[in-house]
Amino acid sequence: MNFFRGVMGGQTAGPQPSGAETIQKLCDRVASSTLLEDRRDAVRALKSLSKKYRMEVGTQAMDHLINILQTDRSDSEILGYALDTLYNIICNDEEEEQDENTQKQADDLGAQFTDTFIQDPEHVTLLLTLLEEFDFHVRWPGVKLLTALLKNQGPQVQGIILVSPMGVSRLMDLLADSREVIRNDGLLLLQQLTKSNAAIQKIVAFENAFERLLDIITEEGSSDGGIVVEDCLLLLLNLLKNNSSNQNFFKEGSYIQRMKPWFEVGDDNSGWSAQKVTNLHLMLQLVRVMVSPVNSPGATASCQKSMYQCGLLQQLCTILMATGVPADILTETINTVSEVIRGSQVNQDYFASVNAPSNPPRPAIVVLLMSMVNERQPFVLRCAVLYCFQCFLYKNQKGQGEIVATLLPSTIDANSISAGQLLCGGLFSADSLSNWCAAVALAHALQDNLTQKEQLLRVQLATSLGKPPVSLLQQCTNILSQGDKIVRRGSKVQTRVGLLMLLCTWISNCPIAVTHFLHNQENVPFLTAQISENLGEDERLVQGLCALLLGICIYYNDNSLENYTKEKLKQLIEKRIGKENFVEKLGFITKHELYSRAAQKPQPVFPSPEQMLFDHEFTKLVKELEGMITKAVHKSSEEEKKEEEVKKTLEQHDNIVTQYKELIREQDAQIQELKEQVSSMSSQNEQLQTTVTQQLSQIQQHKDQYNILKLKLGKENQNQSNSQADGSQVNGLQTEELTQLREEVEELRKQHTLLQTQLGDKDTLINTLRSETSQTAEGSAGGSDNTELLKELEALRSQVQSQAAEINQMKTERQELLRRAEAGSSDAFSSGDGSLDAVKMAELESRLAAQTTETERLKEEAKTSLESRAELEQQLASATSTVAILQTEKGKLQTEVQESKKEQDDLLMLLADQDQKIHSLKQRLKDLGETVDDEDDLDARDQTDDDDEEEEEDEDED
């Protein structure tokens, strides 16, 4: 105990041991002590010495401390001491009083001890296992130690955790810890863990990190929360930035909708705390990550749509127009709104409709442009407004038209300030930065929009009283030619660079604008003078832009001005400047140090106003035109003429081919329409056949029902006859009954005669219908169906004949019974066999009654059969007419297909002639040294398409 008392600060006699000796003794005690209390006291002493003697404790005690973590898992106190000691020797605490060299040595020491610790990956796995302990004294130092390891050697530790089973899941459990200290340090740990590792970012996201982090942000008060909200937002940025999978998961999980409440600000925006500004700044960055221009266009468009639908864009516009918002938050909000509306027509239309809460209300675009051309506004704010205006016009021809319309004479309102007026004011102000911003903004209103380039030529400006108005194009060239004569605030070349970029964008791909520019006799001499002079470094960019502008005048020249045709301009360049010198000056643009920076991303980000020279979209235009202009300048007049002839010939050929292709498309459409008609008629025929089949089945069902009823009636009549015979035997017959029976027999005889007559008429009718049906069947295409109908009619006829035979048999039996009845009546009173005759008469009466019923039923059956037959004949006639119509349509289609084939053969002959001409022209071009590979490929593809279409037509004919 005296030893520990000396270590912990007690006074002892004799010389004091050095720090290294003390640490060595403590390490021996940790390694050799059998009692847990002794080891615990030794580790506690090492912890107290670990900050002062970091090197000694790290080199001598690390292995012993790791051994403690492995062996003494049951004692949380000694585990806590060991983890704290390891943290002290690995962590690089940044102290203010340390100089740079001392801090660098400390960092190197922490990295060295970290390498030692992670040499065995099992040590990191052991640390992850200890984090499962709920004890505060173990879990908290474990979190801090793992965070320090990640800070010092992030990629190596990330790799170990990634392959460790359930490693990331164990760390995610820290966010659910009820102790805020551990949860907050867990956030810091996850920040280090997810840096620059997409695999871990995905695992953390799918461990429900978004839900947990958003819940913590809400619990902590959103933007009004403290440092914990900031840590959550930093972790969200790590998970989402440059990770398309997590961005898609965030959007699909409807987490964008949960961001809207973050941006709800009240009317009183004064006195924002620094933490709230930081939180809101990170929240805006989070929105920008989801809609960044570097993301895939589809993902960006989907997020933009979600932000508009959930009201997030509307909330951001509210902040944009609110008062009292800090400048940096306002700037970041403008940048965020810019990227939310960039390239989204719906969002751009909504932004155009937003009005500022002023009296009278003004469009938000006008208010923002007022800030952009106001030189008293902060530079970053003016850059943000320019970016917002560029994003509003990006792929938005409707918005471009609205901006240009505010400059046209017919739409100018003298009582209000419009966007066009502000841009013109900024373009001609004394502030060079305002000139540049206004020129770039106006250039974006013309980007890829030929209509607006031509409309802008109509803009007229009033220069001074008593002088006629001049066009906007003329005024721009006037200011450009004055150069440094006008005193301006800011960069000397910034105004001229902005105007040259505007003019290049304006007249590129617009021959009418080129003609207007060349119509001013002073423009071309000014450009050639600027290019030919030997100026300083600052003026080189202006020379390059002048060369680009003159090159555009050559490339897009339609030769409508006799003095400035393509050939004359090239001769002028060769005489005054020299072709090689011209190309060299043109290359000054792309060689400028600020060119590559502007080409990287759309947002204009510049460290100072003087470096604000290039626009992102303009760099694309330069890249597109530089090669074409160089090639156009080097071509001779003969090459130009030959190329023009070849182009005209090729255009004529293309027109002919296009016409033939249109004709073939029309014929294909007609053939397709006829195919659809044939298909429709075939389906109708199939439906009719199905209907006939159904009706035949119904007839068969009626037959079966008829046979069943016939059997039932036969049995009932037999039973009835037996019962009546028994009654007659018992009771006998009287004379009056015999007389009545004789009268009924006579009446039945008359009915039978009438029935025979009707059956004869029906037989005649059946024979007639049969002959007609046979004739129809011979002339019809549907012979199989008619045969079935004839069979059915023959079966009905045989049934009727069998019924007639039964009626004849009944007639014979009735005559016999009548004869016997008459004989019985004469001997009724003299013969002793009267009772027997009475029995037979009763039997006769019952059989006659049954036969009468059967005859009535047969009459009904015959009537029903005739009606069914009439319906079948009608359907047969309809089917026959349909088949005839289909045959006629088929003949027409075959005729039309033959005609189409003949026309296509004629077309192929014409195309062969044209191909021969093209081949000769290509040979001429090759002789002249021109490359025609792309045209050859195009012709080959066209020929392949024609062959495929012929094969399809042949298949259709088959």
Side-chain angles (χ1 to χ4, degrees):
M1 293 303 294
N2 291 333
F3 171 76
F4 289 116
R5 192 177 297 114
V7 171
M8 300 306 293
Q11 296 293 329
T12 57
Q16 297 295 324
S18 65
E21 294 174 351
T22 305
I23 292 168
Q24 181 62 45
K25 292 179 181 178
L26 291 173
C27 291
D28 294 340
R29 183 61 59 89
V30 170
S32 60
S33 295
T34 56
L35 294 177
L36 177 61
E37 290 80 1
D38 291 344
R39 294 198 302 276
R40 185 189 304 133
D41 291 339
V43 173
R44 185 190 299 116
L46 286 173
K47 173 189 172 184
S48 64
L49 296 172
S50 58
K51 288 187 178 181
K52 184 176 181 181
Y53 300 101
R54 183 180 177 189
M55 170 69 78
E56 291 79 2
V57 174
T59 54
Q60 300 182 39
M62 180 173 288
D63 292 337
H64 301 294
L65 294 172
I66 293 173
N67 188 52
I68 289 292
L69 298 179
Q70 294 171 338
T71 56
D72 291 332
R73 294 281 301 276
S74 59
D75 186 66
S76 60
E77 191 174 356
I78 193 173
L79 289 178
Y81 293 149
L83 291 170
D84 281 333
T85 307
L86 288 171
Y87 173 75
N88 289 338
I89 62 177
I90 288 176
C91 178
N92 297 317
D93 287 332
E94 298 180 2
E95 299 180 4
E96 296 181 359
E97 62 270 12
Q98 289 183 346
D99 58 14
E100 185 176 349
N101 292 332
T102 306
Q103 183 63 44
K104 185 177 180 180
Q105 292 176 0
D107 293 343
D108 294 341
L109 196 60
Q112 177 184 346
F113 288 142
T114 301
D115 289 337
T116 305
F117 185 85
I118 65 175
Q119 277 181 355
D120 187 356
E122 290 298 325
H123 296 165
V124 179
T125 306
L126 173 64
L127 187 56
L128 291 174
T129 306
L130 292 175
L131 290 180
E132 293 181 350
E133 296 286 341
F134 188 74
D135 192 288
F136 180 81
H137 298 289
V138 177
R139 201 171 207 185
W140 187 40
V143 171
K144 293 193 295 182
L145 175 58
L146 188 55
T147 305
L149 293 173
L150 285 165
K151 284 182 179 179
N152 293 336
Q153 297 293 342
Q156 293 88 336
V157 180
Q158 285 174 338
I160 297 172
I161 295 176
L162 191 59
V163 299
S164 176
M166 299 296 291
V168 178
S169 299
R170 292 170 180 170
L171 301 180
M172 286 299 299
D173 292 339
L174 298 174
L175 296 182
D177 200 304
S178 58
R179 295 160 293 192
E180 291 189 2
V181 176
I182 294 179
R183 184 199 67 183
N184 298 343
D185 282 349
L187 288 171
L188 299 176
L189 169 60
L190 290 172
Q191 284 181 27
Q192 297 297 327
L193 179 66
T194 55
K195 278 185 178 178
S196 305
N197 193 308
I200 292 179
Q201 290 169 1
K202 292 178 183 179
I203 296 173
V204 171
F206 282 96
E207 288 284 346
N208 206 23
F210 293 141
E211 185 76 28
R212 295 185 185 182
L213 292 173
L214 293 174
D215 287 342
I216 294 173
I217 292 173
T218 304
E219 293 170 2
E220 295 291 329
S222 296
S223 60
D224 293 322
I227 189 70
V228 177
V229 173
E230 179 182 349
D231 292 337
C232 290
L233 293 170
L234 289 172
L235 179 54
L236 284 172
L237 284 172
N238 279 356
L239 296 176
L240 292 174
K241 196 169 186 178
N242 299 325
N243 194 318
S244 57
S245 174
N246 283 1
Q247 289 173 6
N248 186 60
F249 182 63
F250 191 84
K251 178 183 69 67
E252 295 296 334
S254 300
Y255 296 120
I256 290 178
Q257 288 81 340
R258 296 186 60 178
M259 297 166 68
K260 179 190 173 185
W262 296 352
F263 304 102
E264 293 177 355
V265 296
D267 297 332
D268 184 14
N269 293 316
S270 59
W272 284 32
S273 65
Q275 187 62 55
K276 181 174 182 178
V277 171
T278 302
N279 292 344
L280 204 54
H281 198 275
L282 291 172
M283 290 172 178
L284 291 169
Q285 285 186 4
L286 198 59
V287 176
R288 293 185 64 185
V289 164
M290 299 299 296
V291 292
S292 174
V294 300
N295 297 344
S296 65
T300 300
S302 179
C303 291
Q304 288 172 334
K305 182 179 179 181
S306 298
M307 290 177 182
Y308 174 75
Q309 291 177 343
C310 74
L312 179 57
L313 174 59
Q314 293 84 330
Q315 202 65 48
L316 292 173
C317 290
T318 303
I319 298 177
L320 203 64
M321 295 292 106
T323 57
V325 178
D328 52 348
I329 293 297
L330 182 61
T331 302
E332 189 64 21
T333 304
I334 294 173
N335 289 326
T336 305
V337 171
S338 304
E339 295 182 351
V340 173
I341 68 174
R342 187 175 189 270
S344 173
Q345 188 65 54
V346 175
N347 293 5
Q348 288 167 340
D349 291 343
Y350 170 76
F351 183 69
S353 66
V354 175
N355 288 323
S358 59
N359 190 16
R362 289 176 178 169
I365 297 174
V366 173
V367 176
L368 291 175
L369 288 178
M370 292 172 68
S371 300
M372 185 185 75
V373 298
N374 186 353
E375 56 184 305
R376 289 177 294 180
Q377 293 292 340
F379 172 64
V380 290
L381 179 62
R382 299 173 73 181
C383 291
V385 173
L386 176 60
Y387 184 46
C388 184
F389 192 74
Q390 292 174 352
C391 291
F392 169 67
L393 297 177
Y394 182 72
K395 294 183 179 180
N396 182 11
Q397 294 194 351
K398 178 183 176 184
Q400 289 174 325
E402 292 173 352
I403 296 299
V404 173
T406 59
L407 287 166
L408 299 178
S410 58
T411 57
I412 292 177
D413 185 3
N415 298 323
S416 63
I417 300 176
S418 65
Q421 293 172 349
L422 289 170
L423 290 177
C424 283
L427 195 61
F428 307 128
S429 71
D431 177 35
S432 61
L433 184 58
S434 297
N435 300 154
W436 191 92
C437 291
V440 170
L442 197 55
H444 277 263
L446 306 176
Q447 197 78 38
D448 299 327
N449 195 326
L450 181 60
T451 303
Q452 303 310 322
K453 291 179 181 180
E454 296 175 357
Q455 287 291 322
L456 199 63
L457 295 172
R458 298 169 48 201
V459 176
Q460 299 290 321
L461 301 176
T463 54
S464 61
L465 293 175
K467 292 186 179 181
V470 297
S471 66
L472 177 62
L473 182 64
Q474 180 63 44
Q475 185 66 13
C476 290
T477 56
N478 291 340
I479 296 175
L480 191 62
S481 61
Q482 292 174 2
D484 296 334
K485 296 178 182 178
I486 301 176
V487 179
R488 300 182 185 278
R489 293 181 294 275
S491 173
K492 294 181 180 180
V493 300
Q494 198 169 41
T495 299
R496 285 181 288 167
V497 169
L499 289 172
L500 286 168
M501 287 196 299
L502 172 60
L503 291 172
C504 290
T505 305
W506 191 346
I507 70 173
S508 65
N509 201 23
C510 183
I512 298 176
V514 172
T515 303
H516 278 71
F517 180 79
L518 295 176
H519 194 269
N520 186 349
Q521 301 294 328
E522 299 176 358
N523 288 340
V524 174
F526 167 73
L527 292 178
T528 54
Q530 287 287 318
I531 299 170
S532 60
E533 289 182 3
N534 292 321
L535 303 175
E537 292 289 333
D538 296 339
E539 299 292 334
R540 282 192 170 189
L541 178 58
V542 175
Q543 285 185 311
L545 292 172
C546 289
L548 178 65
L549 185 59
L550 187 56
I552 293 173
C553 291
I554 295 174
Y555 190 79
Y556 292 106
N557 194 335
D558 58 0
N559 296 325
S560 58
L561 292 177
E562 186 177 354
N563 294 332
Y564 293 110
T565 61
K566 286 185 178 181
E567 184 59 29
K568 290 185 176 180
L569 287 175
K570 286 194 290 185
Q571 291 176 0
L572 184 65
I573 289 176
E574 189 170 2
K575 292 178 181 178
R576 299 282 182 87
I577 306 170
K579 291 183 179 181
E580 297 301 328
N581 189 25
F582 177 85
V583 173
E584 181 184 357
K585 297 293 177 68
L586 183 62
F588 285 166
I589 302 175
T590 54
K591 293 177 181 178
H592 199 279
E593 58 181 354
L594 298 177
Y595 176 86
S596 58
R597 182 185 300 176
Q600 291 175 359
K601 56 182 180 179
Q603 184 181 359
V605 179
F606 303 97
S608 64
E610 291 75 18
Q611 297 185 7
M612 200 170 186
L613 293 178
F614 284 105
D615 173 58
H616 177 75
E617 292 296 329
F618 181 73
T619 60
K620 293 182 181 178
L621 181 66
V622 173
K623 186 178 180 181
E624 177 186 351
L625 293 177
E626 185 178 11
M628 296 190 296
I629 291 174
T630 303
K631 189 175 180 181
V633 169
H634 281 292
K635 284 182 181 177
S636 64
S637 59
E638 294 180 358
E639 291 176 348
E640 286 281 351
K641 290 179 181 179
K642 291 179 181 179
E643 186 175 350
E644 287 294 331
E645 292 176 359
V646 172
K647 282 184 178 179
K648 289 180 180 178
T649 307
L650 291 176
E651 286 177 0
Q652 293 175 358
H653 168 262
D654 291 340
N655 292 334
I656 294 172
V657 172
T658 303
Q659 292 175 1
Y660 286 149
K661 285 184 177 180
E662 290 295 331
L663 181 59
I664 292 172
R665 288 192 188 98
E666 291 177 0
Q667 292 177 347
D668 286 342
Q670 293 175 359
I671 291 173
Q672 186 64 30
E673 184 178 354
L674 293 173
K675 285 181 181 179
E676 291 176 357
Q677 291 179 2
V678 171
S679 177
S680 175
M681 292 179 180
S682 300
S683 63
Q684 291 179 3
N685 188 22
E686 291 176 358
Q687 291 177 359
L688 290 173
Q689 290 179 355
T690 305
T691 305
V692 171
T693 304
Q694 292 176 353
Q695 291 179 349
L696 289 175
S697 64
Q698 291 177 359
I699 292 173
Q700 184 63 39
Q701 291 177 1
H702 291 325
K703 286 182 184 179
D704 296 339
Q705 293 175 2
Y706 166 74
N707 292 330
I708 293 171
L709 291 173
K710 185 176 179 181
L711 291 174
K712 287 183 179 179
L713 289 172
K715 291 181 180 179
E716 291 176 357
N717 290 336
Q718 185 177 0
N719 294 334
Q720 205 172 25
S721 299
N722 293 333
S723 64
Q724 288 178 355
D726 294 340
S728 300
Q729 291 176 1
V730 175
N731 300 324
L733 290 172
Q734 301 298 327
T735 304
E736 295 83 359
E737 293 176 348
L738 288 173
T739 304
Q740 184 179 1
L741 180 60
R742 196 176 290 114
E743 292 174 355
E744 291 178 356
V745 168
E746 186 66 27
E747 185 178 356
L748 287 173
R749 185 183 298 162
K750 294 177 182 179
Q751 293 177 357
H752 176 69
T753 304
L754 180 61
L755 247 174
Q756 272 190 326
T757 305
Q758 292 176 353
L759 286 174
D761 296 339
K762 290 176 181 177
D763 286 338
T764 305
L765 179 61
I766 289 172
N767 290 330
T768 304
L769 293 173
R770 182 180 181 185
S771 62
E772 293 176 356
T773 306
S774 300
Q775 294 175 358
T776 306
E778 291 174 0
S780 172
S784 60
D785 294 339
N786 296 337
T787 303
E788 294 180 1
L789 291 173
L790 289 173
K791 290 181 181 179
E792 186 63 32
L793 293 173
E794 187 64 30
L796 291 174
R797 176 178 172 79
S798 63
Q799 289 181 7
V800 172
Q801 288 176 353
S802 64
Q803 292 173 2
E806 290 180 2
I807 291 173
N808 290 331
Q809 184 180 359
M810 289 167 53
K811 179 181 176 183
T812 304
E813 291 178 357
R814 187 184 63 181
Q815 290 176 353
E816 178 65 24
L817 289 172
L818 286 172
R819 186 182 60 75
R820 292 176 63 183
E822 290 176 353
S825 62
S826 63
D827 298 334
F829 300 99
S830 60
S831 175
D833 297 329
S835 60
L836 183 60
D837 291 336
V839 171
K840 292 181 178 180
M841 288 301 294
E843 183 179 356
L844 174 63
E845 182 180 6
S846 63
R847 291 185 65 184
L848 283 173
Q851 290 297 330
T852 302
T853 306
E854 182 69 12
T855 301
E856 291 295 328
R857 186 180 62 77
L858 289 173
K859 286 166 68 178
E860 292 296 325
E861 288 288 336
K863 183 178 178 182
T864 304
S865 299
L866 286 173
E867 292 175 353
S868 299
R869 179 180 175 183
E871 292 178 359
L872 290 173
E873 287 173 349
Q874 184 178 0
Q875 294 175 0
L876 180 61
S878 176
T880 303
S881 63
T882 303
V883 170
I885 292 170
L886 289 174
Q887 286 180 338
T888 304
E889 292 292 334
K890 182 179 178 183
K892 291 180 180 179
L893 287 174
Q894 290 177 345
T895 304
E896 291 177 359
V897 169
Q898 291 294 333
E899 293 176 356
S900 299
K901 186 175 181 181
K902 290 178 180 178
E903 291 177 359
Q904 289 181 0
D905 291 337
D906 295 338
L907 292 177
L908 288 174
M909 293 295 293
L910 290 173
L911 288 174
D913 294 338
Q914 292 296 327
D915 288 337
Q916 187 64 30
K917 292 179 182 180
I918 291 172
H919 181 72
S920 62
L921 292 173
K922 287 177 184 175
Q923 190 61 39
R924 290 175 61 187
L925 285 174
K926 288 181 180 178
D927 295 338
L928 294 172
E930 294 293 330
T931 303
V932 290
D933 292 340
D934 294 337
E935 295 295 335
D936 290 342
D937 296 339
L938 178 60
D939 292 339
R941 286 196 297 271
D942 289 341
Q943 186 63 36
T944 304
D945 293 339
D946 293 337
D947 294 340
D948 292 340
E949 289 172 355
E950 286 182 9
E951 290 176 4
E952 290 178 2
E953 289 174 358
D954 292 339
E955 291 175 2
D956 293 338
E957 290 176 6
D958 294 341

